[in-house]
Amino acid sequence: MSIAQFSAPVAGLPKSCAEIDALAVNTIRTLAMDAVQAADSGHPGTPMALAPVAYALWQRVLRYDPADPTWWDRDRFVLSNGHASMLLYSVLHLAGVNDFDRSGKPTGRAAITIDDIKSFRQLDSRCAGHPEYGVASGIETTTGPLGQGAATSVGMAMASGWLAARYNRPNFELFTHRVWAICGDGCFMEGITGEAASLAGHLRLANLCWIYDNNHITIEGKTSLAYSDDVPTRFRGYGWNVMHVSDANDIDAVAINCAAARESDRPTLIVLDSHIGWGSPNKQDTAAAHGEALGVEEIAKTKRFYNWPEDAKFLVPDGVRERFAEGVGKRGAAARAAWSATWGSYRTKFPAEAAELECLMRHELPAGWDGDMPTFATDAKGVASRVSGGKALNGVAKRVPWLVGGSADLAPSTKTLIDGAGSIGTGEPGGRNVHFGIREHAMGAICNGMALSGLRAYGAGFLIFSDYMRGSIRLSALMEVPVTYVMTHDSIGLGEDGPTHQPIEQLLSLRAVPHLRVWRPGDARETVEAWRQAMLYTHGPSLLALSRQNLPTLAETETKAREGCARGGYVLTDCGCNSPQVILIGTGSELALCVSAQKQLTEAGIRARVVSLPCWGLFDAQDAAYRESVLPRAVTARVSVEASAAMGWERYVGISGSAIGMHSFGASAPIAALMKKFGFTVEAVVAAAKSQVSRS
Amino acid sequence: MSIAQFSAPVAGLPKSCAEIDALAVNTIRTLAMDAVQAADSGHPGTPMALAPVAYALWQRVLRYDPADPTWWDRDRFVLSNGHASMLLYSVLHLAGVNDFDRSGKPTGRAAITIDDIKSFRQLDSRCAGHPEYGVASGIETTTGPLGQGAATSVGMAMASGWLAARYNRPNFELFTHRVWAICGDGCFMEGITGEAASLAGHLRLANLCWIYDNNHITIEGKTSLAYSDDVPTRFRGYGWNVMHVSDANDIDAVAINCAAARESDRPTLIVLDSHIGWGSPNKQDTAAAHGEALGVEEIAKTKRFYNWPEDAKFLVPDGVRERFAEGVGKRGAAARAAWSATWGSYRTKFPAEAAELECLMRHELPAGWDGDMPTFATDAKGVASRVSGGKALNGVAKRVPWLVGGSADLAPSTKTLIDGAGSIGTGEPGGRNVHFGIREHAMGAICNGMALSGLRAYGAGFLIFSDYMRGSIRLSALMEVPVTYVMTHDSIGLGEDGPTHQPIEQLLSLRAVPHLRVWRPGDARETVEAWRQAMLYTHGPSLLALSRQNLPTLAETETKAREGCARGGYVLTDCGCNSPQVILIGTGSELALCVSAQKQLTEAGIRARVVSLPCWGLFDAQDAAYRESVLPRAVTARVSVEASAAMGWERYVGISGSAIGMHSFGASAPIAALMKKFGFTVEAVVAAAKSQVSRS
């Protein structure tokens, strides 16, 4: 039964369910067409094609109560082809989703009003070009960069399983929710989606369903220009259950297949044949329907085809909102009421678990959460920060049960296993160690999905491979979710693996990402503090750049690291007075060089201050007085030391300062040879400092 | 027939071919074991497992003459699991590959000597931790970051087809070579490999064969921790021909399957079951064999198992080098001799084509190559730099027939189609427009593969999606190959698509990559010059950041852009004297703002200089006198204007200068609203300049 057959006149209330369904579907379509036309910018074709699918999902499938879009056990709906944002906005509007702020409190308004839709793609509109998490309730994740939504949905499905495993009790099924994502050709060509699908298949995530919008059209033209995957076969290769719906207008078939997906013991892919720009006489099935307004004339023709009043704009016919209220609204309210009753009893019967869960869902940390952080004695031999980082991680993990994560097949190197905790595996959703496989990009997105579901997620790898996951790291930052990235082997100090593995430009590149806090701690104590700060920072991701090689545990950090790291940078050791002639600024493995250089400078009668600057972003956020106290403007003789790109350090040493850093790629050799070759020696720091003092 | 059965004693020359084959294979194995042990660093297990495979490939399959590893029609061998580098080094050594420099001249030494192997992973050794292109002949591409080699091999296979289509003539088959790559589990989990495989399958690259080292082991343990793809099914989904070899020691089976791959009409995957660390009694089939030395004792036991003298190190038994000479050496020499004869006749019969081909292979540009570059009149309305860039690209394309490239499904937006040229498509290898599909990461690697084969390759997309391809861009830079990346929609100026699509940190992130020249031209003329410079720069990649919106064509660039851009930065317009009070530095769309601000400042009696700085890297490479002439140290009142991260501009404006830039993510709105909201206005530039003048 195709919706196409039931395009109904607006005048006179429609009589049959099918008619009102058709009216609702065409409302979604026309809202998208009108909004894109008004903005003269956007993507009408996919909402027109997928309106029946979104309608079927919301009305017949999703476990979702528009009255409370923060309900913990709601199904998640992800629009991975985020450019079709009007599809989501229309549905959120028609379903009457209430708005809640990020702390989980209702704001008293609708998530998306018709006025929001009318201001689609205008400044401060909730209806941004692509769906942005945090802007309006019901937007479960930011999408637009292709593949991110799909991969994030895997993290959401893993989180659902994890929450169920940890908190459900017999007859108290607090977590049963499923994750539904719509993906386009773009998502399916992107590598990140393959990575995520492979892991989802491996884990047999039965609570995950993707609907693949098989419309044969991309921006350059027909997909056959560049793409001839046999998608069902490819996904069977990933271990997925694959189904097929041959008509996107067939809402019954969509609903039936989604119901069947619920019965699968593995993730389900529904391949859905659709027609981009469905109903547009001249643009349907062409790239012209993809990324620009249809034009006034074509809209008129299309509306005529829908049997829609040609001149009406942003029309929501009587009965449509009511239809949603009777559908997803009623069903969702009943489901949430039942759940609330369960939750009420659960709180009584399992108060400890309930308290833990509430803490988790409030995005707070348990009282005394940092009571097991490790301590380190001053020690010249020291310890690699990947090792002290591993101990800090385990300290946190003991008290924060919802710290969950792992590495992209590098756990023995990154030291990121949670001791004594099981792994998330096939049929074992409740572990805490995730084996992401060699899939960095998906790892980032999966961490985002877990974080959006309340978990404190971390992902680990070598710093160089942050390059492979920048798309996901950026979304952590844009969504302001607290994912922790543990990136070890943070400089040429990793040695023999050579230039392919030695980060040069990565630190600067990451420091430039808004909201992302990049840490490069100088010893074991600073590493503990970096982890502490990462846990305390809940409005964005943190990235810890940790060393492969041992770092001395410095005497000076014993009393200063905690308070100093909380400010991102601090005076580690001064010249015995408050009037240094030169400031040495170090991070990570080069901090100890600065301390040694300071001693030699003192012997030479030069007053040097050592500033530890483990986190630029946090330091920059301090008030001017504090920053001036650490880096007095009057002291222009400055030397920075970091075994990473020198570029960027002008921010702290100025144009005339000396930035000891890398100006080329690294080399394959043992660390001692490299440090000498590239000039990371006490002698070089001393010489630069003396030269700075002479200059100034 | 398994090699295992023929481990032969060294004393006494072996009698049978099988015995000498076994000896050769075990030489590869023991060289790898010994080199890793000597370095106490590296990856012995995979060379031990794959020695018979590499041996079979080189001895029986590759069309390759060790005497001339620069032969245009040699088969390409790519070790995508680059950590197994000792496998490659051993074979290059034993096959007696000669060394040639990057200009194609013989250096008179061997590519890899036994001493090079003995200094594996030491400073300045040719045997770096991972194979590095340019360090020794026979290393066809840099590998190590997983998946890059596989994806690059697709570009090489496309280039082989392209060269054949353009230059072969009936009975003059100059290009017939094939591309062979060995890939590991890591490669196969990485998304980039899926992207590349999908495109290779689409294009039916029959000249491509991947051997998948199916050893079931990764760093964290068994692959079953994270990976249960049915690889053959998945690859059939990509449209590949799939075969299976169940014993990596069976060199006959490897050779037979490779021969069968030659008969396929599509790319071939050979799934090869192997045992990591084969022969090591305690480490075979374990993660312990992967990434560290076996240890002296285990090496002794393993050598015993190979029937090898336990105490011998770096032993190459008599007969092994000779065996290679009889195998790949003789076969390669004969093939090259036949080819040379063909080439000799070709030069006579097709002198124009031959001359073109020689120019291409010398990495030079044809005489008058820039004779069709477009010119632009001064024009206040102007033109988007993506549009002028498209015209410049087409100007180059007219005269440089081997300029080949395309976009990741954004050609209508990036304006990067070569007019009148066909597309590379299924069975159409000779087009010049590549439809990469929505696969940015593979696009970069494929461009690398094409560039390594002599083509001038370009890849295009939105600047934001450079994030998706950083791994490949970095390898272009590390290998110093001249790929051109055309990245449009280069700032918040793209407007309504919003923060997911608006680059902020990307420009700085890319500028920090060694050898990569990032261009952000300020008008149409500078855009032409950026293209000109990109073509002239052959020791690394160039990236052009181009605007979506129109940029005025400035009167000032008419006479100054050409010479100025050749230096990366220049004085666009001065204050009428040589003593500016303030310097305004702009790039791209903000250059015109600086020019307008200068006019207002002049009216206000302030002497301002406008500096255009389209390419930091090239400007920084100028001599100090030139840089001082553009940015005199004495003028500390400086304002930079760029609609991108402000961070990093301290390099040119100093700590006290004013960097007008972005300090947050962007927003979804029309461009005018955004530019006002984020402070990119003439008024803001004027105000900042006045404030700078007051300060200084």
Side-chain angles (χ1 to χ4, degrees):
Chain A
M1 175 185 341
S2 172
I3 273 297
Q5 301 155 18
F6 293 95
S7 296
V10 179
L13 269 184
K15 302 292 193 296
S16 73
C17 289
E19 279 168 336
I20 182 73
D21 283 349
L23 207 56
V25 165
N26 286 332
T27 303
I28 298 172
R29 287 176 166 139
T30 52
L31 284 177
M33 289 155 56
D34 289 343
V36 173
Q37 188 65 37
D40 195 19
S41 170
H43 301 78
T46 300
M48 291 161 72
L50 299 186
V53 181
Y55 182 73
L57 264 173
W58 280 71
Q59 281 291 78
R60 304 210 194 159
V61 179
L62 283 193
R63 172 181 165 84
Y64 192 95
D65 184 359
D68 184 359
T70 70
W71 175 27
W72 302 345
D73 200 31
R74 70 190 180 280
D75 278 4
R76 264 58 168 188
F77 172 68
V78 174
L79 186 71
S80 190
N81 45 352
H83 52 270
S85 55
M86 270 309 304
L87 182 67
L88 179 59
Y89 301 144
S90 297
V91 172
L92 293 180
H93 172 65
L94 297 174
V97 173
N98 283 332
D99 193 53
F100 284 62
D101 65 21
R102 282 185 71 148
S103 73
K105 297 199 188 80
T107 64
R109 55 159 285 170
I112 301 288
T113 66
I114 195 76
D115 285 334
D116 293 325
I117 288 176
K118 287 179 182 170
S119 66
F120 177 58
R121 290 187 160 229
Q122 306 308 302
L123 196 60
D124 300 326
S125 172
R126 292 180 158 227
C127 296
H130 294 81
E132 288 175 36
Y133 177 73
V135 167
S137 292
I139 301 173
E140 301 283 6
T141 182
T142 297
T143 52
L146 293 172
Q148 297 290 342
T152 300
S153 77
V154 173
M156 292 173 169
M158 288 168 67
S160 175
W162 190 90
L163 290 164
R166 182 162 183 94
Y167 298 108
N168 285 2
R169 295 290 179 272
N171 301 319
F172 294 88
E173 303 281 306
L174 288 183
F175 294 99
T176 63
H177 63 270
R178 312 179 66 80
V179 184
W180 309 86
I182 297 181
C183 309
D185 298 308
C187 296
F188 270 35
M189 285 192 238
E190 292 287 3
I192 183 176
T193 306
E195 292 178 9
S198 173
L199 185 60
H202 170 74
L203 295 175
R204 298 205 179 187
L205 298 179
N207 60 353
L208 179 67
C209 178
W210 289 356
I211 298 174
Y212 168 51
D213 177 26
N214 185 33
N215 66 18
H216 301 291
I217 294 294
T218 65
I219 290 174
E220 292 190 356
K222 294 199 186 299
T223 52
S224 58
L225 274 175
Y227 188 55
S228 41
D229 282 9
D230 173 349
V231 169
T233 299
R234 179 180 150 202
F235 270 72
R236 284 187 195 104
Y238 295 134
W240 284 52
N241 169 42
V242 181
M243 304 195 297
H244 185 219
V245 171
S246 61
D247 178 4
N249 281 322
D250 189 342
I251 61 176
D252 289 341
V254 171
I256 288 166
N257 277 274
C258 288
R262 285 211 183 84
E263 306 305 318
S264 171
D265 64 347
R266 50 191 70 211
T268 293
L269 175 71
I270 299 176
V271 177
L272 175 103
D273 298 339
S274 79
H275 296 276
I276 194 168
W278 189 82
S280 163
N282 299 302
K283 298 199 170 177
Q284 178 181 316
D285 294 322
T286 73
H290 172 79
E292 58 190 19
L294 292 180
V296 174
E297 223 172 289
E298 188 69 9
I299 286 182
K301 287 179 185 161
T302 310
K303 286 183 176 170
R304 207 175 306 153
F305 176 80
Y306 295 156
N307 206 4
W308 203 259
E310 283 175 38
D311 298 331
K313 283 185 188 165
F314 301 103
L315 173 69
V316 180
D318 290 346
V320 169
R321 290 194 185 89
E322 293 75 5
R323 179 71 173 164
F324 272 91
E326 282 165 23
V328 61
K330 256 197 194 158
R331 208 181 57 251
R336 187 163 67 92
W339 183 92
S340 295
T342 304
W343 169 238
S345 320
Y346 184 96
R347 288 175 76 176
T348 312
K349 193 148 180 196
F350 308 104
E353 288 86 342
E356 184 181 306
L357 191 47
E358 285 181 314
C359 181
L360 180 165
M361 290 295 181
R362 277 198 311 267
H363 307 296
E364 292 175 359
L365 294 166
W369 69 274
D370 56 355
D372 282 316
M373 293 299 256
T375 57
F376 294 88
T378 298
D379 174 8
K381 178 170 172 265
V383 57
S385 52
R386 59 173 170 157
V387 173
S388 51
K391 291 184 199 284
L393 159 65
N394 271 283
V396 175
K398 269 191 196 154
R399 306 275 189 124
V400 185
W402 55 93
L403 182 72
V404 173
S407 100
D409 192 46
L410 287 169
S413 297
T414 56
K415 313 293 182 192
T416 44
L417 280 181
I418 298 178
D419 300 334
S423 292
I424 290 183
T426 307
E428 292 163 358
R432 294 175 66 189
N433 289 303
V434 183
H435 302 278
F436 287 103
I438 302 155
R439 308 180 181 105
E440 296 84 2
H441 204 174
M443 175 170 73
I446 289 169
C447 284
N448 286 337
M450 293 196 291
L452 289 165
S453 304
L455 308 193
R456 292 303 298 259
Y458 68 92
F462 289 167
L463 180 57
I464 193 72
F465 297 124
S466 63
D467 276 3
Y468 272 43
M469 55 196 297
R470 282 188 71 95
S472 301
I473 293 174
R474 190 174 208 257
L475 279 191
S476 312
L478 188 54
M479 293 193 284
E480 302 180 32
V481 292
V483 172
T484 303
Y485 294 98
V486 183
M487 304 269 101
T488 68
H489 297 57
D490 71 340
S491 78
I492 55 165
L494 64 84
E496 292 89 344
D497 272 348
T500 53
H501 284 57
Q502 291 163 347
I504 301 293
E505 68 277 19
Q506 282 66 27
L507 282 174
L508 179 64
S509 301
L510 293 160
R511 285 168 175 151
V513 179
H515 303 306
L516 172 64
R517 286 203 186 148
V518 178
W519 289 89
R520 189 166 188 254
D523 75 353
R525 295 190 189 109
E526 284 198 355
T527 305
V528 171
E529 296 312 318
W531 256 109
R532 190 192 317 274
Q533 290 301 322
M535 291 304 294
L536 289 170
Y537 180 50
T538 53
H539 294 291
S542 299
L543 183 144
L544 280 56
L546 304 178
S547 74
R548 175 178 188 239
Q549 73 271 31
N550 282 353
L551 310 181
T553 307
L554 302 167
E556 294 80 2
T557 56
E558 181 159 19
T559 55
K560 294 182 181 166
R562 179 136 185 197
E563 198 184 329
C565 288
R567 286 173 167 274
Y570 61 104
V571 178
L572 179 69
T573 161
D574 217 342
C575 48
C577 58
N578 197 22
S579 59
Q581 292 168 277
V582 60
I583 302 177
L584 311 178
I585 312 174
T587 78
S589 42
E590 287 66 63
L591 186 59
L593 275 186
C594 294
V595 172
S596 300
Q598 187 204 35
K599 291 198 179 95
Q600 289 196 14
L601 289 165
T602 304
E603 284 163 20
I606 294 173
R607 301 188 308 278
R609 164 181 291 185
V610 175
V611 167
S612 175
L613 198 57
C615 182
W616 288 19
L618 184 53
F619 179 73
D620 291 350
Q622 302 301 307
D623 61 59
Y626 179 75
R627 284 183 282 124
E628 172 68 17
S629 76
V630 176
L631 296 174
R633 200 164 273 257
V635 185
T636 64
R638 299 182 179 189
V639 179
S640 67
V641 196
E642 186 172 69
S644 186
M647 183 186 282
W649 275 101
E650 300 88 358
R651 186 175 182 86
Y652 300 105
V653 301
I655 291 177
S656 302
S658 172
I660 298 180
M662 295 293 291
H663 299 270
S664 69
F665 289 111
S668 170
I671 177 171
L674 292 174
M675 289 303 180
K676 193 170 160 213
K677 176 185 168 74
F678 291 109
F680 298 96
T681 62
V682 175
E683 294 66 40
V685 179
V686 168
K690 286 181 177 170
S691 162
Q692 282 289 308
V693 170
S694 310
R695 180 192 57 75
S696 70
Chain B
M1 175 186 339
S2 172
I3 273 296
Q5 301 155 18
F6 293 95
S7 296
V10 177
L13 270 184
K15 303 290 191 299
S16 74
C17 289
E19 279 168 334
I20 183 72
D21 282 350
L23 207 57
V25 165
N26 286 333
T27 303
I28 299 171
R29 285 176 167 138
T30 51
L31 285 177
M33 288 155 57
D34 289 342
V36 172
Q37 187 65 36
D40 195 19
S41 171
H43 302 78
T46 299
M48 291 161 71
L50 299 185
V53 181
Y55 183 72
L57 264 173
W58 280 70
Q59 281 291 76
R60 304 210 193 158
V61 179
L62 283 194
R63 173 184 165 82
Y64 192 94
D65 184 0
D68 185 358
T70 71
W71 176 27
W72 303 344
D73 201 30
R74 71 189 180 280
D75 278 6
R76 264 59 169 188
F77 172 67
V78 174
L79 186 72
S80 189
N81 45 351
H83 52 270
S85 56
M86 269 309 305
L87 182 67
L88 178 59
Y89 301 145
S90 298
V91 171
L92 293 179
H93 172 64
L94 296 174
V97 173
N98 282 332
D99 195 51
F100 284 62
D101 65 20
R102 283 185 70 149
S103 73
K105 297 201 185 79
T107 65
R109 55 158 287 170
I112 301 289
T113 66
I114 196 77
D115 285 335
D116 294 326
I117 289 176
K118 287 179 182 169
S119 67
F120 178 58
R121 290 185 162 232
Q122 307 307 301
L123 196 61
D124 300 324
S125 172
R126 291 180 159 227
C127 297
H130 294 81
E132 287 175 37
Y133 176 73
V135 167
S137 292
I139 301 173
E140 302 282 6
T141 182
T142 297
T143 53
L146 293 173
Q148 297 291 342
T152 301
S153 77
V154 172
M156 291 174 171
M158 289 167 66
S160 175
W162 189 89
L163 290 164
R166 183 164 182 91
Y167 297 108
N168 285 2
R169 294 288 177 276
N171 301 318
F172 294 87
E173 303 281 304
L174 289 183
F175 294 98
T176 63
H177 64 270
R178 313 179 65 80
V179 184
W180 309 87
I182 298 182
C183 310
D185 298 310
C187 296
F188 270 35
M189 287 192 237
E190 291 288 4
I192 183 176
T193 306
E195 292 177 9
S198 173
L199 185 59
H202 170 74
L203 295 175
R204 298 208 179 184
L205 299 180
N207 59 353
L208 180 67
C209 178
W210 289 356
I211 299 175
Y212 168 51
D213 176 26
N214 185 33
N215 67 17
H216 300 293
I217 294 294
T218 64
I219 290 175
E220 292 191 357
K222 294 196 185 303
T223 50
S224 59
L225 275 172
Y227 189 56
S228 40
D229 282 10
D230 173 348
V231 169
T233 299
R234 181 180 147 201
F235 270 72
R236 284 189 195 103
Y238 295 134
W240 285 50
N241 170 42
V242 181
M243 305 195 296
H244 185 220
V245 172
S246 61
D247 178 4
N249 282 321
D250 189 341
I251 60 175
D252 289 340
V254 172
I256 289 166
N257 276 273
C258 288
R262 284 212 185 85
E263 306 305 317
S264 172
D265 64 346
R266 50 190 70 211
T268 294
L269 175 70
I270 299 176
V271 177
L272 175 101
D273 298 340
S274 79
H275 296 276
I276 194 167
W278 187 82
S280 163
N282 299 301
K283 298 198 170 177
Q284 178 182 316
D285 295 323
T286 73
H290 172 79
E292 59 191 18
L294 292 180
V296 174
E297 224 173 289
E298 188 69 9
I299 285 182
K301 288 179 186 162
T302 309
K303 286 184 177 170
R304 206 174 306 155
F305 175 80
Y306 295 156
N307 205 6
W308 205 258
E310 283 177 35
D311 298 330
K313 283 182 185 164
F314 300 105
L315 174 68
V316 181
D318 289 345
V320 169
R321 291 194 184 91
E322 293 75 6
R323 180 72 174 161
F324 272 91
E326 283 164 22
V328 62
K330 255 196 195 158
R331 208 181 56 251
R336 188 163 67 93
W339 183 90
S340 295
T342 305
W343 169 238
S345 321
Y346 185 96
R347 289 174 75 176
T348 312
K349 192 148 182 195
F350 308 105
E353 288 85 344
E356 184 181 307
L357 191 47
E358 284 181 316
C359 181
L360 181 164
M361 288 296 179
R362 277 197 310 269
H363 306 295
E364 292 176 359
L365 294 167
W369 69 274
D370 56 354
D372 282 317
M373 294 299 258
T375 56
F376 293 88
T378 297
D379 175 10
K381 178 170 172 264
V383 57
S385 52
R386 59 174 170 154
V387 173
S388 51
K391 290 184 200 285
L393 159 66
N394 271 285
V396 176
K398 268 190 198 156
R399 304 276 188 125
V400 185
W402 54 95
L403 182 72
V404 173
S407 100
D409 191 47
L410 286 170
S413 297
T414 56
K415 313 292 180 192
T416 44
L417 281 181
I418 298 178
D419 299 334
S423 293
I424 291 183
T426 307
E428 293 163 358
R432 295 176 65 190
N433 289 303
V434 183
H435 302 278
F436 288 103
I438 302 154
R439 309 179 180 104
E440 296 83 1
H441 204 174
M443 175 171 71
I446 289 168
C447 285
N448 286 336
M450 293 195 292
L452 289 165
S453 305
L455 308 192
R456 292 301 299 259
Y458 68 92
F462 289 169
L463 180 57
I464 193 71
F465 297 124
S466 63
D467 276 3
Y468 272 42
M469 54 194 301
R470 282 188 72 93
S472 301
I473 294 174
R474 190 174 208 259
L475 279 191
S476 312
L478 187 54
M479 294 194 284
E480 303 182 31
V481 292
V483 171
T484 303
Y485 294 99
V486 183
M487 305 267 99
T488 68
H489 295 58
D490 71 341
S491 78
I492 55 166
L494 65 84
E496 293 89 343
D497 272 348
T500 53
H501 285 55
Q502 290 164 347
I504 301 294
E505 69 277 20
Q506 282 65 26
L507 282 175
L508 180 63
S509 301
L510 292 160
R511 286 169 176 150
V513 178
H515 304 304
L516 171 64
R517 287 204 186 146
V518 177
W519 289 89
R520 189 166 188 256
D523 74 353
R525 295 191 190 109
E526 283 198 355
T527 304
V528 171
E529 296 312 316
W531 256 109
R532 189 192 316 274
Q533 292 300 322
M535 291 304 294
L536 290 171
Y537 179 50
T538 53
H539 294 292
S542 298
L543 184 145
L544 278 57
L546 304 178
S547 73
R548 174 177 188 241
Q549 73 271 30
N550 282 353
L551 311 182
T553 306
L554 302 167
E556 294 81 1
T557 55
E558 182 160 16
T559 55
K560 293 183 182 166
R562 180 140 184 195
E563 196 183 331
C565 287
R567 286 173 167 274
Y570 61 104
V571 178
L572 180 69
T573 161
D574 216 344
C575 48
C577 57
N578 197 22
S579 60
Q581 293 169 280
V582 60
I583 303 175
L584 312 178
I585 312 173
T587 80
S589 43
E590 287 66 62
L591 186 60
L593 275 186
C594 294
V595 172
S596 300
Q598 186 205 36
K599 293 201 177 92
Q600 290 196 15
L601 288 165
T602 304
E603 285 163 19
I606 294 173
R607 301 187 308 280
R609 165 181 291 186
V610 175
V611 167
S612 176
L613 198 57
C615 182
W616 288 20
L618 184 54
F619 179 73
D620 291 351
Q622 303 301 308
D623 60 61
Y626 180 75
R627 283 182 281 123
E628 173 69 16
S629 76
V630 176
L631 297 174
R633 201 163 273 258
V635 185
T636 65
R638 299 181 179 189
V639 179
S640 66
V641 196
E642 186 172 71
S644 185
M647 182 185 284
W649 275 100
E650 299 87 358
R651 186 176 185 84
Y652 300 104
V653 302
I655 292 177
S656 302
S658 172
I660 298 180
M662 295 292 291
H663 300 269
S664 68
F665 290 110
S668 170
I671 178 172
L674 292 174
M675 289 302 177
K676 191 171 163 212
K677 175 184 169 74
F678 291 109
F680 298 96
T681 61
V682 175
E683 295 66 41
V685 179
V686 168
K690 287 182 175 169
S691 163
Q692 282 288 310
V693 171
S694 310
R695 180 193 57 75
S696 70

